[in-house]
Amino acid sequence: MLPWTTYETVYEAALNQPETFWLDAARRVTWKQAPVTACRARTDGWHDWFPGATLNTCYNAVDRHVKDGRDGQAALIWYSSATKERQVVTYRELQERVAGFAGGLRSLGINKGDRVLIAMPTMVETAIAMLACARIGAVHVVVFAGYAGPELARRIDDVAPKVIIIASCSFQGQTPIPSAPALNEALAAAMHRPQACVIVQRAVCRASFIPLRDHDFHTLEQSTPAEPVTLHSEDPLYILHTSGTTGHAKGIVRDNGGHAVALALSMELIYGCEPGDTFFTTSDLGWVVGHSYGVYAPLISGCTSVIVEGGASASAIRALCHQHKVKCLFTTPTQMRLMRQESRHLSGAILPTLARIFVAGEYADPILLDWARSYFHKPVVNHWWQTETGWSITAHFFGLPEREPASLINDIGRPAPGFRPSIVPSVPDEQCGEIVLSLPLPPGCLAGMWKDGAIRVPSAYLDETGRYYRTFDEGTIAANRAVHMLGRSDDVIKVAGRRISGVQIEKIIAAHPNVHACAVVAMPDELRGQRPVAYVVLDPQAACASLSEEIVARVNEVLGRWVGLKEVRFVRRLPTTVSGKIIRKRLLVS
């Protein structure tokens, strides 16, 4: 039960009495040695959360729930959009499988601090491998299963894993893609050599084992079970590579203690979930949402987690929500747009247990959110966070009795406890600018960056004073603390000395009934410095004729002709990352 009734009381408590606030929040976690200090500065200039305290994340996510009588409750529910397979794993079964596989990793020489690279699609075995690493203090490095050999080789050389774990195949749609060729190509190119490889054999596409190198995943599960080891709060839990915020691939390091505390608090405060509730994220486990809210947060909180391999259809998502009594659905705008496209042939979803839907990963326009609300008949909200933060910088807080203000419903919300945003104006006296966060960041955020075999201060994210974390996103902050996002710093367009966010233009274009998706980028202009160009994906039944003029007229009517939108380019699809974010830089060279 949360001790606060309003947003202001919870935010002020974290702002004015951070030690007390976070030590209280830490009580949601089972500790071997409870913390007596919330935050302490490191000698390298960064900070540690709950230093000196000890725990085990796997114990918190699995064993303690078995001990507390949740052994028969579903822990993981898995569905494959490719093979249509389903699997339900109880907390007791998960404990047995994780402990056995952890023992198997031990038999391969894996110990505390060793890195284990996991290149698998979203499967039960992926979650088992992650939790098994956490159980014995190994550091898991989950990467996208579809990476080609050269990209996988770069990850291997960066983290020097002792063991690599793959599935025999992943899928592109319904087509199986063998994984062994990419692994072999990566190992041939990488400088580092792992001690062993582990393969999950899938019936649809089996891999040939290389003697002495390869081991069967399910055979290793039958090893002597390993007990959870005691770890310091500041010990690394995982490394996750990202290139989104500063443009270059880097390994974000997450700790054990702060991560567990932040995620446990977020499940209750932001998502309004309690033990026994079912949480469903459509994210791949290779991305941060899959880490945080596909595996760790729901399990640490004693919830049931629904995970999906591949892009689930609208009908599949509806069925999963209905069959498993999902309370919270967490998805992306890309997935939502696909659902909208398919839903033309489906009636609205009647899902009595579904309480709310959360969207993150990229901007979701109000038109899309309104469609989702009318389709699901539930609250649908944005929230803003990054791979680096691991949980929401800003959000809507459904765990509080106080209702969220209606004026914020289409925006990204207000800061979560411990996040202290401010604005660095790009132009003097402007209210908008880059959003920066005061240090120290709250628990659950990056504990550092992995570089040259060690955890380093994330200096690429710090401003010139070293006192602020740069988000590289631009926006404004209202008097009621609400943060309004304009877009990435390099997505803001400068037209004849005036600044306009591409997102502002995209909102207007997306409101057109024939527009499926859009992106606006800045092109050089000899007279005005820059001009916006819109790339538009139409709904399948729409025609391009006269739509370009309609779109330009809409933007002129709402924002004014000074914006200078004259060019609308119709494309079949927008370039996106494998996690669904639009790659606007690629549009600049198209």
Side-chain angles (χ1 to χ4, degrees), residues 228-257:
V229 302
T230 299
L231 300 169
H232 287 99
S233 173
E234 57 268 41
D235 284 337
L237 172 66
Y238 69 76
I239 300 169
L240 182 61
H241 288 91
T242 178
S243 58
T245 302
T246 60
H248 302 284
K250 55 207 165 292
I252 301 304
V253 180
R254 202 81 67 201
D255 64 358
N256 274 271

Side-chain angles (χ1 to χ4, degrees), residues 15 18 39 41 44-47 49 389 418-422 436-442 445-446 457-459 461-471:
L15 182 67
C39 186
D44 63 7
W46 202 237
H47 46 274
W49 281 97
T389 65
F419 287 104
R420 295 169 291 158
S422 56
V436 298
L437 305 174
S438 297
L439 299 180
L441 298 177
C445 296
L446 72 170
V457 172
S459 54
Y461 294 91
L462 302 184
D463 76 333
E464 57 196 20
T465 71
R467 296 166 49 207
Y468 295 95
Y469 167 93
R470 299 184 61 189
T471 67

Side-chain angles (χ1 to χ4, degrees), residues 133 268 277 311 315 335 370 451 498:
C133 290
E268 191 174 2
D277 289 338
S315 56
Q335 181 74 60
D370 285 341
K451 186 177 181 181
R498 300 180 68 178

Side-chain angles (χ1 to χ4, degrees), residues 86-421:
R86 295 170 185 261
Q87 194 175 152
V88 178
V89 181
T90 66
Y91 271 102
R92 169 67 73 184
E93 292 166 338
L94 186 61
Q95 182 189 45
E96 293 172 351
R97 295 185 66 179
V98 168
F101 189 69
L105 289 177
R106 278 261 180 85
S107 72
L108 297 178
I110 297 298
N111 293 299
K112 176 183 174 182
D114 292 335
R115 274 80 62 204
V116 175
L117 191 143
I118 304 168
M120 293 207 294
T122 296
M123 301 171 63
V124 169
E125 287 83 355
T126 312
I128 287 172
M130 294 165 68
L131 291 164
C133 290
R135 193 174 191 84
I136 59 176
V139 180
H140 63 70
V141 187
V142 184
V143 303
F144 176 58
Y147 277 149
E151 192 66 26
L152 186 57
R154 281 189 280 271
R155 303 294 193 267
I156 292 170
D157 281 339
D158 185 45
V159 300
K162 274 192 176 181
V163 168
I164 297 176
I165 307 173
I166 67 166
S168 58
C169 70
S170 58
F171 286 86
Q172 288 183 358
Q174 311 296 313
T175 305
I177 308 297
S179 301
L183 173 64
N184 295 333
E185 182 184 0
L187 292 177
M191 299 294 292
H192 173 77
R193 292 289 180 269
Q195 294 180 2
C197 296
V198 178
I199 300 177
V200 179
Q201 289 283 31
R202 307 189 73 174
V204 70
C205 179
R206 300 181 69 83
S208 298
F209 281 26
I210 295 177
L212 303 179
R213 188 195 77 173
D214 296 340
H215 302 263
D216 180 72
F217 187 102
H218 295 119
T219 300
L220 288 175
E221 276 191 49
Q222 306 306 312
S223 303
T224 302
E227 292 298 314
V229 302
T230 299
L231 300 169
H232 287 99
S233 173
E234 57 268 41
D235 284 337
L237 172 66
Y238 69 76
I239 300 169
L240 182 61
H241 288 91
T242 178
S243 58
T245 302
T246 60
H248 302 284
K250 55 207 165 292
I252 301 304
V253 180
R254 202 81 67 201
D255 64 358
N256 274 271
H259 172 259
V261 171
L263 294 190
L265 176 63
S266 73
M267 284 293 285
E268 191 174 2
L269 177 63
I270 295 172
Y271 301 100
C273 286
E274 300 175 352
D277 289 338
T278 301
F279 195 95
F280 178 9
T281 176
T282 61
S283 172
D284 188 282
L285 294 188
W287 313 124
V288 68
V289 174
H291 278 53
S292 291
Y293 295 100
V295 177
Y296 286 113
L299 297 185
I300 288 171
S301 300
C303 295
T304 297
S305 179
V306 179
I307 55 176
V308 173
E309 176 185 25
S313 65
S315 56
I317 289 174
R318 282 184 12 165
L320 289 165
C321 288
H322 177 73
Q323 293 166 11
H324 302 294
K325 296 180 172 57
V326 169
K327 183 174 184 179
C328 286
L329 173 64
F330 190 154
T331 190
T332 66
T334 297
Q335 181 74 60
M336 198 74 79
R337 283 189 286 268
L338 292 173
M339 292 171 63
R340 179 176 63 182
Q341 190 171 344
E342 181 189 346
S343 71
R344 291 189 179 90
H345 311 292
L346 299 169
S347 58
I350 307 301
L351 300 167
T353 62
L354 185 65
R356 56 199 68 98
I357 299 170
F358 295 84
V359 181
E362 57 174 316
Y363 175 75
D365 63 83
I367 302 301
L368 180 63
L369 295 177
D370 285 341
W371 167 82
R373 291 173 191 133
S374 64
Y375 179 72
F376 286 101
H377 309 288
K378 307 292 180 182
V380 184
V381 296
N382 275 312
H383 54 340
W384 171 48
W385 52 306
Q386 300 176 338
T387 298
E388 293 82 355
T389 65
W391 65 298
S392 296
I393 303 171
T394 65
H396 302 267
F397 301 88
F398 288 93
L400 297 172
E402 177 188 54
R403 293 177 63 88
E404 285 286 295
S407 60
L408 301 182
I409 196 67
N410 283 328
D411 227 317
I412 57 174
R414 294 172 287 185
F419 287 104
R420 295 169 291 158

